[in-house]
Amino acid sequence: MSAIDDTRPGRFERLDEGTRRIGAGSALSIVATVAAFLVLPAATIFPLLGFLAVVGYGWWRYQEATAKVVMSLMTASTVIILSLITVYLLWQSVPVLEQMGLSLFTHVGDTMWSPNTGVFSLVPMMWGTLLTTIIAMCVAGPLGIAGALFTSEMAPRWAREIIKPAIEVLAGIPSIVYGFLGFVIVNDYMMRELSLPIYGSLFGAGVVIGLMALPTIVSVAEDALDAVPDEMKDGSVALGATGWQTITDVTIPSAFSGISAAVILGVGRALGETMAVTVMLAHTQTLPEPLYDVFGAGGQETLTSLIASQYGIASGDHMSALFAAGVVLFITVLTLSIGSQVVEARMREKLGGEA
């Protein structure tokens, strides 16, 4: 056996000179910035300016190496920031978990949320979130899939050029605008026509959230439908199938995974909506009676609206309970996002002939 060659360059030595210089300078500047922020926040600007100077010099002298280093730092910082947010959420939730234990997620009684007496239960808010999400998906799911089918498979080119920008405009409208419109139009209409016991309802909030989730579902589902190879559609037509038969028997089954991912992302959009429900709901932290009542005064609170409406007056265990609500939302939305990625990966494998 030949002796091990100790003259081979290490990983750092194999890097070109520009990458080594810019990488070392950037790393030192970032470490100095973080240290200054923790020890002497007022002096943070100086190492930060040093980092900008290193990047500026590298862009002038070693542009390709600088781009590589900066992109790597951005990617690493994204992972680090998300990890720190996760740890911080969990850490801030520990006090209320120590006080309430699992009853924070299971306690049901006459009083389920009373910061003054130290009683915290997220059950009413989790139930309100579930009901509004179900209502939203009953609105956004069928309408979104139908809109994607029409835009992708049926609409003429001139109509598609109008519809797609319109959908993007809907996605760009601030959520507070949707909430205000829901408050002055939907809530007022339901109060006048249905004689609700209180101004606001889970049903009205769910409808508005469903309309807000529409652009997400339409866009993602349309991309999935467009990804179906034209050869599959043409082959179906060549065998004598009509256009509608091709859509129902070929296009939709082939894009089903992508359509499912679109609906999952829409659910995540509905779960995470804050301002619209905060404006529209009456903020009652009780369970509705009966549980399926989406028009009554009970249960008019979601996890997001709870955080938005109470963080300004919260402290101690009260604030910790709001962080626990954030943890529940974070885990739920993260699970949905991972699920949508898995579904999309299966769609690509199916269409690519890899599975």
Side-chain angles (χ1 to χ4, degrees):
M1 182 181 296
S2 60
I4 297 176
D5 184 8
D6 294 331
T7 63
R8 290 180 298 176
R11 171 177 290 184
F12 185 76
E13 294 177 350
R14 290 198 298 268
L15 297 176
D16 59 85
E17 180 182 0
T19 303
R20 282 185 289 174
R21 288 186 177 183
I22 302 304
S26 300
L28 290 174
S29 300
I30 292 175
V31 171
T33 301
V34 174
F37 178 78
L38 296 175
V39 178
L40 189 60
T44 304
I45 186 65
F46 298 108
L48 184 59
L49 291 175
F51 171 75
L52 295 177
V54 170
V55 172
Y57 170 76
W59 195 258
W60 170 66
R61 187 71 184 273
Y62 309 104
Q63 191 171 112
E64 182 178 352
T66 303
K68 184 191 304 183
V69 170
V70 171
M71 296 303 173
S72 300
L73 290 174
M74 287 181 178
T75 303
S77 64
T78 301
V79 176
I80 293 173
I81 290 171
L82 288 176
S83 301
L84 291 175
I85 290 174
T86 303
V87 172
Y88 185 76
L89 283 174
L90 295 173
W91 179 259
Q92 292 296 323
S93 303
V94 170
V96 75
L97 288 172
E98 291 178 344
Q99 175 187 339
M100 300 296 299
L102 291 179
S103 62
L104 179 67
F105 311 104
T106 60
H107 173 66
V108 176
D110 294 334
T111 301
M112 286 179 282
W113 187 267
S114 178
N116 294 331
T117 59
V119 177
F120 304 99
S121 174
L122 296 177
V123 173
M125 283 62 77
M126 291 190 296
W127 185 251
T129 300
L130 176 63
L131 289 180
T132 53
T133 302
I134 291 174
I135 295 169
M137 286 302 99
C138 289
V139 174
L143 291 179
I145 295 173
L149 281 171
F150 177 77
T151 305
S152 175
E153 303 297 323
M154 303 177 186
R157 180 179 296 275
W158 63 267
R160 181 181 299 183
E161 292 177 355
I162 296 175
I163 294 173
K164 295 192 72 171
I167 293 173
E168 294 175 0
V169 170
L170 288 175
I173 296 176
S175 60
I176 188 65
V177 175
Y178 282 102
F180 180 71
L181 292 175
F183 181 80
V184 300
I185 297 177
V186 178
N187 279 2
D188 186 67
Y189 174 82
M190 296 183 67
M191 190 71 181
R192 183 176 65 253
E193 299 297 331
L194 301 180
S195 301
L196 299 181
I198 194 170
Y199 198 79
S201 66
L202 292 174
F203 181 82
V207 170
V208 172
I209 295 173
L211 295 177
M212 295 176 63
L214 263 177
T216 300
I217 296 179
V218 172
S219 297
V220 178
E222 184 188 0
D223 291 339
L225 292 168
D226 288 339
V228 178
D230 291 335
E231 291 80 2
M232 296 177 64
K233 305 175 187 178
D234 295 340
S236 175
V237 174
L239 291 174
T242 64
W244 178 247
Q245 289 173 330
T246 299
I247 292 174
T248 56
D249 296 338
V250 177
T251 305
I252 293 179
S254 299
F256 183 77
S257 296
I259 295 173
S260 301
V263 175
I264 293 174
L265 290 175
V267 172
R269 178 75 170 88
L271 279 171
E273 177 48 44
T274 303
M275 293 311 302
V277 291
T278 302
V279 171
M280 294 185 64
L281 294 179
H283 305 289
T284 55
Q285 294 88 31
T286 59
L287 285 173
E289 296 181 2
L291 289 176
Y292 55 80
D293 184 10
V294 294
F295 298 99
Q300 291 205 34
E301 193 77 285
T302 65
L303 293 169
T304 53
S305 65
L306 176 75
I307 297 171
S309 62
Q310 297 194 9
Y311 79 93
I313 58 174
S315 61
D317 290 339
H318 187 187
M319 180 64 78
S320 180
L322 297 184
F323 272 103
V327 170
V328 175
L329 278 171
F330 179 81
I331 293 175
T332 304
V333 175
L334 179 63
T335 302
L336 290 173
S337 298
I338 294 174
S340 67
Q341 294 296 321
V342 172
V343 170
E344 287 186 357
R346 292 189 61 183
M347 181 193 70
R348 288 194 295 269
E349 291 178 356
K350 182 177 181 180
L351 294 180
E354 300 174 12

